[in-house]
Amino acid sequence: MLADAALGVLADAGMRGLTHRAVDAAAGLPAGTTSAYYRTRSALLSGLVRRLVELDQAELRAAAEHAPALRTPADLVRGLATLVAARTSGEGRRRSLARYACVLESVRDPELRAILVPRRNPAREAVSTFLAERGVADPESRTLTLLACVDGLVLDRVVAPGRAPGGTREEIEGLVTAALR
């Protein structure tokens, strides 16, 4: 509950707005509650990042479970576009804002960096298997490159001023198709 409230505070107020008191207020708890569980700002950030990774991994597992099998490049494009759409609108957008703030913070914090290291998950495995079955050289490396492009697309959609959040489905699919080529 506190880590979820901290994610919301980070998404809404940024790294400077992430305080123990702000998390208490967001969680609707008495002042001092957050500091009783997370004594330091570093502990609060670590708890927040652990929760963020947990939510991201659950999202990716669910996406892999509910998505149709990847049989064609169009299937892969649709799946990746669905991920972009999920991470650039609504609660997914807020979580993306928090994720990127944590990624930047992890540049100077080895503990956060260790928590944020990309993890294996069924969605990543599906992309790698898809590429391997099509004879793509070094499918693991290509998977990471493709997913980095998708992550960059999410970042662009979340932070670019004047853009519609997410863009149209056709626009996202076009950009993902270009990255896949």
Side-chain angles (χ1 to χ4, degrees):
M1 177 176 171
L2 288 173
D4 289 329
L7 276 169
V9 169
L10 181 56
D12 295 339
M15 202 54 82
R16 286 186 181 199
L18 180 66
T19 65
H20 287 79
R21 285 183 187 202
V23 174
D24 289 338
L29 296 171
T33 302
T34 300
S35 63
Y37 287 92
Y38 299 106
R39 297 294 301 155
T40 64
R41 179 176 173 77
S42 178
L44 178 59
L45 271 171
S46 292
L48 179 159
V49 171
R50 280 184 174 71
R51 178 63 175 151
L52 179 62
V53 168
E54 178 184 313
L55 291 170
D56 282 351
Q57 291 289 46
E59 174 189 49
L60 293 170
R61 279 191 305 275
E65 289 171 13
H66 296 101
L70 298 177
R71 299 192 199 305
T72 68
D75 293 337
L76 180 58
V77 167
R78 275 191 296 279
L80 293 173
T82 297
L83 178 63
V84 171
R87 291 195 167 181
T88 58
S89 61
E91 194 58 36
R93 181 179 188 282
R94 293 180 77 233
R95 203 163 73 229
S96 291
L97 287 168
R99 181 183 311 103
Y100 292 124
C102 291
V103 166
L104 291 174
E105 191 71 18
S106 77
V107 169
R108 291 170 196 84
D109 186 329
E111 182 182 350
L112 292 183
R113 191 170 39 255
I115 300 167
L116 284 168
V117 168
R119 309 247 187 293
R120 301 218 58 86
N121 59 65
R124 182 173 155 188
E125 292 295 326
V127 172
S128 182
T129 300
F130 178 85
L131 296 177
E133 288 172 350
R134 273 135 197 92
V136 172
D138 193 7
E140 280 298 310
S141 177
R142 292 286 177 94
T143 295
L144 293 178
T145 299
L146 176 59
L147 295 179
C149 290
V150 169
D151 193 45
L153 180 57
V154 171
L155 176 64
D156 180 66
R157 297 290 163 189
V158 168
V159 301
R163 293 220 187 173
T168 67
R169 182 64 176 213
E170 295 78 23
E171 181 182 336
I172 293 170
E173 287 185 8
L175 293 168
V176 171
T177 299
L180 184 58
R181 286 189 189 130

